[in-house]
Amino acid sequence: MILVTGGAGFIGANFVLDWLAASSEPVVNLDKLSYAGNLHNLDSVRGDARHVFVQGDICDAALLERLFAGHQPRAVVHFAAESHVDRSIHGPQDFIQTNIVGSFRLLEAARGYWSRLPADARAAFRFLQVSTDEVYGTLAPAEPAFSETRGFEPNSPYSASKAASDHLVRAWQHTYGLPVLTTHCSNNYGPYHFPEKLIPLTIVNALADKPLPVYGDGLQVRDWLYVRDHCSAVRRVLDAGQPGQTYNVGGGNEKPNIEIVHTVCALLDELRPRADGQGYACQITHVRDRPGHDRRYAVDARKIERELGWRPAETFASGIRKTVQWYLEHADWVANVQTGAYRDWVQTQYQSAESAPSAPSARQAADAGA
């Protein structure tokens, strides 16, 4: 039995589904079901006795103690987090509560349970912290990619809260001996991605004939990782990672945001053309950049390949095509997650084009690979 936190969210749900597809080992899935947690993500395992879903908060110490005592997990895979940078800028308190206080409560519950295990079970136990490359800060255009030895320089309330929880995890290993593992992933994309993030928002807005918002000049660079590749990396680290070690997980796909949007538009032009014959790129709208927007992330994933033999299975071309096709085939899922609260958020967050910098020139767009 393993305990997964945040297993109804984007990455966590993909992990649970992939785990149950590949293994007979049961999963206890703890999720608060906040706005981005969605039980419809888990429809395919409804009724599966190997999947035990518990709605609850990782800040609830009493609940955590009951789950550990009742289910006796051999490992914890900790996905649960507030993860949207924009939301953290407008309301950081939830990020402090979930990402720091919640991680502390989970660590303490795990430590109490682990300390009472027999020696062999205690040696085999693992606590895997799933974190982000954003804790490392931002990179200059020619600067080497983030390695595991780079110091933390978080620049948003979200990344600062994740860095804080990473420090707690490290401290619980150093002080108490809790056998922990940490992964730092690059930008994920794929099925079940809540449509506040760049790729699903572009797909959903394009099909709804709405503006496709791009922050500033759109030349912010990210390394893009298909979510199922990320899940396979987490499984590999859980199986063979060395306690106390950190592993970076990247897709090897550094691309500027404007190129991502144009790629999605081109795929939609092919797979679901607009009725008027125009390309979806005509809907691109440059909006005011967000405060403190990191310019570039890039992940050096050579350690996990060298030591654990993991590498991504998907190229960006194959992964983004699968992603667009999934959204086209799951219109009901998209409609279900687009609540009134979600629509209000998008309207508030993405300001009109009149408040944005000028759109990039044709030469800038060409330089960006758009």
Side-chain angles (χ1 to χ4, degrees), residues 249-273:
V249 184
N253 298 301
E254 280 191 69
K255 296 182 183 297
N257 288 345
I258 189 65
E259 180 180 344
I260 299 299
V261 175
H262 276 277
T263 299
V264 170
C265 288
L267 283 167
L268 289 172
D269 289 341
E270 173 192 342
L271 300 171
R272 186 71 59 81

Side-chain angles (χ1 to χ4, degrees), residues 143-156:
E143 197 172 356
F146 300 133
S147 72
E148 290 84 354
T149 59
R150 182 181 173 101
F152 286 5
E153 295 179 342
N155 290 320
S156 70

Side-chain angles (χ1 to χ4, degrees), residues 54 95 129 153 197 226 245-246 250 254 293 298 346 353:
V54 178
F95 290 73
Q129 162 86 345
E153 295 179 342
K197 304 291 180 73
Y226 189 62
Q245 291 294 305
T246 295
E254 280 191 69
H293 200 172
V346 171

Side-chain angles (χ1 to χ4, degrees), residues 174-224:
H174 183 80
T175 300
Y176 303 113
L178 185 69
V180 304
L181 302 154
T182 300
T183 58
H184 291 118
C185 69
S186 58
N187 277 38
N188 279 222
Y189 68 99
Y192 303 109
H193 204 176
F194 192 76
E196 64 185 359
K197 304 291 180 73
L198 178 65
I199 288 174
L201 181 69
T202 298
I203 297 168
V204 169
N205 277 16
L207 296 174
D209 197 26
K210 295 179 179 178
L212 309 182
V214 175
Y215 279 135
D217 60 11
L219 300 181
Q220 304 88 357
V221 173
R222 301 292 183 262
D223 176 15
W224 294 91

Side-chain angles (χ1 to χ4, degrees), residues 101-370:
V101 176
S103 294
F104 161 71
R105 295 270 166 77
L106 185 64
L107 282 163
E108 279 292 85
R111 180 171 73 92
Y113 163 74
W114 165 79
S115 68
R116 295 187 293 270
L117 290 173
D120 56 345
R122 194 162 60 248
F125 183 81
R126 296 290 184 269
F127 183 107
L128 198 162
Q129 162 86 345
V130 180
S131 190
T132 172
D133 61 356
E134 296 190 39
V135 300
Y136 296 124
T138 189
L139 290 167
E143 197 172 356
F146 300 133
S147 72
E148 290 84 354
T149 59
R150 182 181 173 101
F152 286 5
E153 295 179 342
N155 290 320
S156 70
Y158 160 60
S159 57
S161 68
K162 287 297 290 184
S165 66
D166 290 352
H167 284 311
L168 290 175
V169 169
R170 181 182 184 279
W172 260 239
Q173 188 272 332
H174 183 80
T175 300
Y176 303 113
L178 185 69
V180 304
L181 302 154
T182 300
T183 58
H184 291 118
C185 69
S186 58
N187 277 38
N188 279 222
Y189 68 99
Y192 303 109
H193 204 176
F194 192 76
E196 64 185 359
K197 304 291 180 73
L198 178 65
I199 288 174
L201 181 69
T202 298
I203 297 168
V204 169
N205 277 16
L207 296 174
D209 197 26
K210 295 179 179 178
L212 309 182
V214 175
Y215 279 135
D217 60 11
L219 300 181
Q220 304 88 357
V221 173
R222 301 292 183 262
D223 176 15
W224 294 91
L225 173 67
Y226 189 62
V227 65
R228 296 190 66 179
D229 280 334
H230 183 199
C231 294
S232 74
V234 171
R235 292 196 305 273
R236 182 60 184 153
V237 171
L238 185 63
D239 286 344
Q242 293 300 305
Q245 291 294 305
T246 295
Y247 300 91
N248 284 350
V249 184
N253 298 301
E254 280 191 69
K255 296 182 183 297
N257 288 345
I258 189 65
E259 180 180 344
I260 299 299
V261 175
H262 276 277
T263 299
V264 170
C265 288
L267 283 167
L268 289 172
D269 289 341
E270 173 192 342
L271 300 171
R272 186 71 59 81
R274 282 172 49 123
D276 62 5
Q278 293 191 70
Y280 285 98
C282 71
Q283 296 169 225
I284 293 174
T285 304
H286 289 260
V287 301
R288 184 174 56 199
D289 209 350
R290 71 180 175 211
H293 200 172
D294 288 341
R295 197 65 174 169
R296 174 178 170 245
Y297 304 143
V299 169
D300 181 346
R302 287 178 294 178
K303 178 180 176 179
I304 191 173
E305 180 176 356
R306 181 178 65 250
E307 296 186 6
L308 304 183
W310 177 89
R311 64 177 65 184
E314 301 290 346
T315 64
F316 184 73
S318 64
I320 194 64
R321 178 174 286 273
K322 288 180 178 180
T323 300
V324 172
Q325 288 174 327
W326 187 91
Y327 278 88
L328 291 176
E329 294 166 1
H330 291 82
D332 289 347
W333 181 91
V334 173
N336 284 335
V337 301
Q338 289 184 290
T339 64
Y342 164 76
R343 289 192 295 271
D344 291 345
W345 162 257
V346 171
Q347 183 176 354
T348 300
Q349 177 58 29
Y350 296 106
Q351 304 297 323
S352 66
E354 285 75 18
S355 63
S358 299
S361 66
R363 177 51 186 263
Q364 285 176 311
D367 290 344

Side-chain angles (χ1 to χ4, degrees), residues 25-161:
E25 187 173 13
V27 174
V28 174
N29 181 354
L30 175 63
D31 197 293
K32 186 179 179 180
L33 294 183
S34 61
Y35 76 95
N38 185 355
L39 278 179
H40 288 298
N41 296 350
L42 301 162
D43 280 347
S44 64
V45 294
R46 185 173 295 177
D48 190 326
R50 298 171 302 156
H51 179 237
V52 179
F53 180 78
V54 178
Q55 183 174 356
D57 192 338
I58 59 171
C59 294
D60 185 340
L63 171 61
L64 294 173
E65 289 179 11
R66 290 197 301 272
L67 289 179
F68 278 103
H71 295 284
Q72 301 282 306
R74 69 169 181 91
V76 175
V77 184
H78 181 29
F79 290 101
E82 296 283 349
S83 65
H84 192 207
V85 174
D86 295 334
R87 289 180 184 266
S88 80
I89 293 170
H90 291 285
Q93 181 170 328
D94 288 345
F95 290 73
I96 304 306
Q97 183 69 16
T98 297
N99 298 355
I100 302 178
V101 176
S103 294
F104 161 71
R105 295 270 166 77
L106 185 64
L107 282 163
E108 279 292 85
R111 180 171 73 92
Y113 163 74
W114 165 79
S115 68
R116 295 187 293 270
L117 290 173
D120 56 345
R122 194 162 60 248
F125 183 81
R126 296 290 184 269
F127 183 107
L128 198 162
Q129 162 86 345
V130 180
S131 190
T132 172
D133 61 356
E134 296 190 39
V135 300
Y136 296 124
T138 189
L139 290 167
E143 197 172 356
F146 300 133
S147 72
E148 290 84 354
T149 59
R150 182 181 173 101
F152 286 5
E153 295 179 342
N155 290 320
S156 70
Y158 160 60
S159 57
S161 68

